[in-house]
Amino acid sequence: MRHLLWPLLLFVHTRHVAAAVRRGGHCFDACDLTLTYLDFNDTDRALSKKSRTCQSALHATSLYLCIDEHCVEDGREEWLDGVNGTCQNAAGISIPPWTIIDTFTPEDRAHVRRLKAEEGMWYSRGPPLNEVVLPDDDFFDRAFKTLEFAFFEIDTHWLYGIAMYYFWAAVITIGICWRLAFLIQEIRHRNFQRIPGDDLELEDVNGRKGAQVTLRAYGLLKRYILVPATFGYRCAQNIGWCTIPPRVQSLTIFAFVILNLILCCISYPVFAGNLYWPLVSTQLWRYVSDRTGVIALANFPLIWLFGTRNNVLMWLTGWGFGTYNSFHRWVARVATVQAVVHSVGYTEMVFERGNWSLFMKYLRKHYFWNGEIATVLMCAICACSVYGLRRCHYEIFLVTHIFLSIIVLLTTFYHVEIFNGEWNIFIWPCLAIWILDRALRLLRILAFNRIIWNTYATATYDSTSNIVRLKVPCEQNLVRPQPGAYYYIYVLNDLLFAHQNHPFTLAYMSSNDGADSTDGIHISRHCRADSTTSSVSSESSSLLRPTSPRSPTLTFLIRPYDGLTSRLRRICTSASRTSVRVLVEGPYGAQQPLHTFPSVLFIAGGTGIAVALSYLPSLLREDGESEVVDVHLVWAVREQALWKQVLQTDIPSMVLRDDRFRVTVHVTKDVDDGGKDADDAIDSSHIADRRYDQEVIGHVEAKGGRPNVSAAVEDAAQEVGRAGRLAVVACGPAQMADEARRACVGVLGAGYTGVEYFEESFKW
Ligand SMILES: NC(=O)c1ccc[n+]([C@@H]2O[C@H](COP(=O)([O-])OP(=O)(O)OC[C@H]3O[C@@H](n4cnc5c(N)ncnc54)[C@H](OP(=O)(O)O)[C@@H]3O)[C@@H](O)[C@H]2O)c1
Ligand SMILES: *[C@@H]1O[C@H](CO)[C@@H](O)[C@H](O)[C@H]1NC(C)=O
Ligand SMILES: *[C@@H]1O[C@H](CO)[C@@H](O)[C@H](O)[C@H]1NC(C)=O
Ligand SMILES: *[C@@H]1O[C@H](CO)[C@@H](O)[C@H](O)[C@H]1NC(C)=O
């Protein structure tokens, strides 16, 4: 029992007299340690051991003589003041003054009895001493080394815990530099274009050669590190019960894991004869357990930071939620393994000195059972976060995840409580990050609509396209969404599920100037305007909250699967057009610099079209901000009705008429009412329905069957050539994204170094 408690005292003790201890090199403490095993007979036996030690003149004399013999004078006063202070606080006793050893002549000292370590430690169980004693040199050395290494370990644990922050700071710094380099290059490129032919002569051949080398190196970097999946081809798709992130992320995570492994394995100065833990194996258990415990704890704030939606780093580096989420998972896994080693180590040390009854005795200790619970729950969280559960039962996953994390944080708090709050410095940041994230989420909701319960969206479900179209009025919205922005949407119709929220990419915001091209909106506006004057109204317009016909709206295209999205569909099927009360949290997400590429290829699947829709207007703008000269959208859809609807109502006719834009639609299943063979049913003239002229039809091509993603990427790369720049954006099912990624790696390998891959998908 005492063995386990020592280090606790050690912690408390270090900070108490930290300054003196460092200078005295633990020498004073070593003398003190040799005497803690002894009991002197010159005090009242009724007092506590602590009071007796403080009071005993024999003890003080022995201690002072030992210090005088072994230690430099430097720092002694402070150290004694510390001991005196402890005695004052604990027992109200003042220790005897240093001058009590003045009477000891060198001869006296030579005659003082020297205790061997075995003797000295034996006395802890023997009769009290009646004389002044000193440790012999070996005893003192062992005490000194014991302390020296124990304190060294404490410093090392701390240092290695902090190393985690250095690691991630380095990673983030690289990310920021990378982004800055991209921006600077972008600005230079643009300035260069603004003044054509101006600088050409000034740029010397060397400079261009240098640029070429950089470009080639960058191409290789993309080919082998930045773009590919970690192994082979699967990246967005799961492999059994896990998902493996792209290669850069995997390398980062790998480096982190290796760093943790190394830091948990090195710097253990064990020796035979340690006074605390005589066995070398016990010392190892002890040090390893402490090391893993401290590093696990140091990893906590990182886990919380990487797991939150409002993460400053996301904003600094431009890396998406998915990237930080894989960091979140891996830091958490590493911390869990460390916590397990920590717990196993301490449990093993208990069993080394006792049996089940001793273990049960420990389990009654507050810090002990809290620690065991924290470890068990951390394992539970990891087990509940496997891809399968996350994917299939997202809501259940999220609720248990949050609930268990709260308990883990709480139990960890009580676990480290014994150290007088020393280690809370890793607990409070977690709480702060969490609270800050929640506050920012609330702020975003408020920024969207100050009266948060007062947002009524119009949801329409169309069974032919199997899409819920959600239109959210946003006249109160303060933050203008950027292309690629996504929002978390809560549906408040059923309070039981009100906490459920899913991210959806904003397809577009129809502005209030009436210039938006979508006929559907015009029609519905018309209906609404009519309904106020005439009795003719659409069947459900009474459900609609009267919104100003000119109010801007956000449009989301939602595929109903399960959970929130299927609930939305259920709500809608009661009426063809329904008003739902929603809470909108956003916008999130960074805009990708697609407008800096002359060519952009979208590979979209199903509702992934939302990503393309959100970027199209900004890519095709005329004000010179965009460098795009060619946008190709390859879009696979199951339902005929979906692509027709989207082309008719969601893509502005201005975009459709733009010569820079073309669409290839691939219909993979024909669920159109006609029931005809897919290839027959596909006819570009469909989209001409009343609205579009020949010019538009020229830009739209419809085909049957899945698109050949790699062929699409290769064609696009060949079109821009080896010197050209092309952005490939994948937004659709995981398999499609993986194919696009692989195709990009392929064309990068073929020398098209200007190809850049972007993936827009939500990964948890
Ligand atoms: N990031 C975003 O903003 C965003 C937005 C919406 C949706 N999504 C994601 O997109 C995914 C699908 O959405 P959804 O349900 O609307 O799609 P969906 O209806 O399942 O349609 C997907 C289409 O892509 C085709 N396809 C699938 N894999 C392909 C491949 N390897 N090569 C060529 N074509 C392929 C499918 O063909 P078959 O019929 O032959 O399978 C189908 O036509 C979801 O997982 C969702 O997470 C992302
Ligand atoms: C302790 O000291 C008292 C006298 O103060 C003496 O009578 C007694 O024998 C001593 N005990 C031991 C164990 O030496
Ligand atoms: C111990 O502290 C008390 C009160 O602070 C003081 O009066 C006393 O002189 C101190 N003794 C020594 C030996 O420093
Ligand atoms: C897709 O196109 C590539 C050539 O670009 C070809 O090698 C491959 O076989 C094609 N895949 C399918 C399924 O047709």
Side-chain angles (χ1 to χ4, degrees), residues 366-411:
H366 209 238
Y367 80 94
F368 203 87
W369 63 260
N370 271 299
E372 299 278 358
I373 286 182
T375 303
V376 170
L377 290 188
M378 280 171 85
C379 294
I381 292 178
C382 280
C384 290
S385 308
V386 292
Y387 175 76
L389 282 178
R390 230 159 56 214
R391 179 70 203 226
C392 302
H393 307 282
Y394 178 69
E395 311 293 352
I396 300 172
F397 155 75
L398 199 67
V399 172
T400 45
H401 200 74
I402 293 173
F403 179 68
L404 292 181
S405 337
I406 291 173
I407 301 185
V408 165
L409 207 57
L410 207 67
T411 45

Side-chain angles (χ1 to χ4, degrees), residues 505 559 561 605-608 611 636-638 668 706-707 709 732-733 735-736 739 760-762:
T505 299
R559 169 84 63 197
Y561 282 104
T607 45
V611 176
V637 275
R638 293 229 161 98
T668 54
R706 281 189 170 195
V709 173
Q735 192 194 2
M736 197 181 215
E739 263 167 41
E760 293 279 318
S761 63
F762 300 117

